[in-house]
């Protein structure tokens, strides 16, 4: 019993020694010095961290990225999208394309001209205004967005045909170049990089796009491909994009691609490419300057 009292007194004494005025083996002065040391130590660390962040923020611009050397210009994407990069539909079964139609309608909603009437935010950049737009590219300040009406996409606009050709077995794709701040695409310097069947599309102020079968065994199965938009490509007056702060209402130009007589009951891998002097392709990135998608129009009996 005395041994138990001794042990009990030992840890109690360590917790609080009333004779030496020590708590956990240290006096109040000792604890004060430790707290003061760590307060200064961690205060200095916090100061260094905050100072580093502030210096970093001073090097960043609110209007454009400081570094863009790791950005591979530009990506080419399309609507509707699918997880497996394939659009397999049956014209007689709207369940096979209902989600695609909904996605395209939502995407084109901002291209309704009713939402582009504010002349403080939008301007008409078509036709003869191209030269003026190019001369003013170096001006500073908030930019107006060029108007782009979805009606220019013809039968793929969703205005007259609300199913974007899916119900008729003539599916549409809406294609766009992804946004890159201050990137200005350049038309092809020569016709050497352009397929023979697409050379007629070359225009001075338009980035051309061309879609064809990716596999040789699918030659002739794709049928006629129609393109809708300004010059059937991406007009230069819509570039560059100046970023969210300076170009808040920016609308990317679009191109609609419609496959009007694709071979039925066949899955075809389609590849679409844009051509330009500063547009490149990469085997590691299937969307850099191009994309491919599997398209199939199936009959009900399949």
């Amino acid at each position: 019993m005395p041994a138990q009292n001794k042990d009990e007194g030992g840890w109690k004494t360590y917790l609080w020694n009333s004779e030496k005025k020590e708590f956990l083996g240290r006096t109040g002065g000792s604890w004060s010095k430790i707290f003061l040391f760590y307060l200064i130590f961690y205060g200095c660390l916090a100061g260094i961290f905050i100072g580093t962040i502030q210096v970093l923020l001073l090097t960043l611009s609110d209007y454009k990225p400081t570094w863009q050397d790791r950005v591979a210009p530009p990506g080419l994407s399309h609507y509707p999208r699918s997880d497996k990069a394939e659009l397999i539909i049956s014209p007689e079964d709207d369940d096979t394309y209902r989600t695609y139609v909904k996605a395209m309608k939502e995407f084109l909603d901002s291209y309704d001209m009713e939402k582009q009437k504010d002349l403080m935010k939008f301007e008409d950049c078509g036709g003869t205004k191209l030269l003026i737009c190019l001369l003013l590219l170096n001006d500073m300040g908030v930019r107006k967005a060029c108007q782009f009406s979805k009606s220019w996409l013809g039968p793929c606009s969703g205005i007259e045909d609300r199913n974007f050709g899916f119900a008729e077995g003539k599916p549409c794709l809406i294609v766009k170049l992804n946004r890159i701040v201050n990137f200005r695409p350049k038309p092809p310097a020569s016709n050497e990089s352009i397929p023979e069947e697409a050379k007629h599309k070359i225009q001075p102020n338009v980035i051309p796009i061309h879609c064809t079968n990716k596999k040789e065994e699918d030659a002739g199965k794709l049928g006629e491909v129609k393109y809708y938009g300004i010059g059937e490509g991406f007009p230069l007056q819509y570039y560059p994009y100046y970023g969210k702060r300076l170009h808040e209402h920016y609308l990317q130009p679009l191109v609609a691609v419609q496959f009007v007589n694709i071979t039925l009951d066949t899955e075809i891998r389609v590849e679409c490419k844009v051509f330009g002097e500063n547009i490149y392709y990469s085997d590691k990135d299937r969307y850099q300057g191009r994309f491919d998608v599997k398209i199939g129009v199936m009959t009900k009996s399949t």
Side-chain angles (χ1 to χ4, degrees), residues 260-276:
V260 296
N261 56 353
I262 191 171
T263 301
L264 300 178
D265 300 324
T266 303
E267 296 181 1
I268 304 172
R269 178 64 65 177
V270 179
E271 181 179 62
C272 295
K273 279 187 176 182
V274 286
F275 300 92

Side-chain angles (χ1 to χ4, degrees), residues 127-165:
T128 58
K129 287 197 174 184
L130 173 59
L131 179 60
I132 299 176
C133 290
L134 292 177
L135 290 175
L136 296 177
L137 285 178
N138 292 323
D139 286 354
M140 298 300 293
V142 176
R143 311 298 178 116
K144 292 183 179 181
C146 289
Q147 294 173 329
F148 193 100
S149 174
K150 63 182 180 181
S151 63
W152 300 343
L153 302 178
C156 296
S157 64
I159 298 176
E160 296 182 1
D161 181 0
R162 300 183 63 83
N163 289 314
F164 299 93

Side-chain angles (χ1 to χ4, degrees), residues 15-87:
L15 184 64
W16 171 248
N17 190 326
S18 58
E19 295 180 1
K20 297 181 179 180
K21 306 297 183 183
E22 291 180 348
F23 176 69
L24 296 179
R26 292 183 179 273
T27 63
S30 178
W31 280 114
S32 300
K33 291 177 183 180
I34 290 177
F35 280 122
L36 180 61
F37 169 79
Y38 282 107
L39 180 64
I40 296 174
F41 176 73
Y42 285 111
C44 290
L45 289 182
I48 293 173
F49 176 77
I50 294 172
T52 303
I53 296 298
Q54 291 299 321
V55 171
L56 175 63
L57 292 176
L58 290 175
T59 66
L60 300 179
S61 171
D62 291 335
Y63 302 102
K64 63 179 181 179
T66 304
W67 306 103
Q68 288 183 275
D69 55 322
R70 297 183 66 85
V71 177
L76 188 70
S77 56
H78 64 87
Y79 284 84
R81 299 175 180 174
S82 64
D83 295 335
K84 298 181 179 179
E86 59 182 33
L87 300 174

Side-chain angles (χ1 to χ4, degrees), residues 149-280:
S149 174
K150 63 182 180 181
S151 63
W152 300 343
L153 302 178
C156 296
S157 64
I159 298 176
E160 296 182 1
D161 181 0
R162 300 183 63 83
N163 289 314
F164 299 93
F166 290 110
E168 298 179 358
K170 301 177 180 180
C172 291
L173 294 179
I174 307 298
V175 186
K176 66 181 179 67
L177 280 172
N178 294 342
R179 300 180 183 184
I180 297 179
V181 177
N182 289 336
F183 175 76
R184 189 182 307 168
K186 299 178 182 179
S190 66
N191 291 350
E192 296 179 0
S193 62
I194 306 210
E196 188 66 33
E197 61 271 22
K199 288 184 177 180
H200 68 281
K201 297 182 178 182
I202 301 301
Q203 301 179 54
N205 299 315
V206 176
I207 301 297
I209 181 174
H210 181 66
C211 298
T212 186
N213 53 283
K214 187 173 183 178
K215 298 181 179 179
E216 294 183 2
E217 57 264 31
D218 291 331
K221 297 180 181 179
L222 193 58
E224 183 182 6
V225 181
K226 291 187 176 181
Y227 304 85
Y228 301 94
I230 300 178
E232 300 182 5
F234 301 99
L236 297 187
Q237 61 262 43
Y238 286 82
Y239 301 96
Y241 166 59
Y242 291 98
K244 187 65 176 178
R245 292 235 177 181
L246 293 179
H247 231 158
E248 181 180 358
H249 303 284
Y250 176 77
L251 293 174
Q252 295 150 280
L254 306 175
V255 176
V257 182
Q258 186 174 32
F259 307 93
V260 296
N261 56 353
I262 191 171
T263 301
L264 300 178
D265 300 324
T266 303
E267 296 181 1
I268 304 172
R269 178 64 65 177
V270 179
E271 181 179 62
C272 295
K273 279 187 176 182
V274 286
F275 300 92
E277 185 178 350
N278 56 347
I279 295 177
Y280 312 102

